Amino acid sequence: MKKVALFPGSFDPFTKGHADIVMRGLKLFDEVIIGIGTNSAKKRYFSLEMMTEKIRETFKDNENVKIISYDDLTANAAMANGANFLLRGLRNTTDFEYENTISQVNRHLVGGLETVFLITSPELAPISSTIVRELHKYGAKVDDFLPYDLD
């Protein structure tokens, strides 16, 4: 059976930390689907269309990476796209507490849907989309944190 993982997130923006999780995930899975989800509690800073294009550009040479957007429960998006795993990155214990709860709910919603956690590479652990947005908002250079150019 083909191992397909959905890597869900708002990816606002998609960072080098996210790209690292995708590339490492490809060592475990036959395919990684990057799912840009709609978070009803957040208003996007970077447009969905722009971020989709930047992620597509980042993985243009890798046919085992797909990009989708969805406005549904993550467990439903996984099932609709043939993913039997969820892939998540953990930077710290705070991430673990949050992600653990979500993984339990997703597994309850779709029996057999397993979440695989990868610990963020140490050099990328300080990067978060929130910090990158804040830096960008105030005109700071963010290129070191992103796997693509914003220009």
Side-chain angles (χ1 to χ4, degrees), residues 2 26 29-33 62-66:
K2 188 174 178 182
L26 287 170
F29 302 105
D30 300 310
E31 180 178 296
V32 173
I33 302 168
N62 197 319
E63 63 186 33
N64 296 328
V65 176
K66 308 274 189 284

Side-chain angles (χ1 to χ4, degrees), residues 37-89:
T38 300
N39 184 331
S40 58
K42 294 181 181 178
K43 182 178 176 349
R44 291 196 69 83
Y45 179 78
F46 294 102
S47 77
L48 176 63
E49 297 76 17
M50 188 269 268
M51 198 49 46
T52 300
E53 182 55 35
K54 294 297 185 182
I55 297 169
R56 193 174 319 289
E57 173 188 312
T58 299
F59 296 102
K60 68 179 180 278
D61 297 326
N62 197 319
E63 63 186 33
N64 296 328
V65 176
K66 308 274 189 284
I67 298 104
I68 63 162
S69 60
Y70 66 96
D71 186 11
D72 197 353
L73 295 172
T74 295
N76 292 343
M79 297 309 297
N81 288 280
N84 36 11
F85 296 92
L86 296 176
L87 176 63
R88 300 298 292 152

Side-chain angles (χ1 to χ4, degrees), residues 75 86 100-115:
L86 296 176
N100 181 47
T101 302
I102 292 173
S103 72
Q104 299 295 337
V105 170
N106 284 326
R107 191 162 178 228
H108 174 78
L109 292 172
V110 177
L113 181 61
E114 296 290 348
T115 301

Side-chain angles (χ1 to χ4, degrees), residues 7 16-26 32 87-90 117-121 124:
F7 181 36
K16 284 184 177 178
H18 296 131
D20 179 59
I21 296 297
V22 170
M23 295 309 294
R24 291 171 47 216
L26 287 170
V32 173
L87 176 63
R88 300 298 292 152
L90 299 175
F117 298 112
L118 294 180
I119 304 299
T120 304
S121 296
L124 300 172

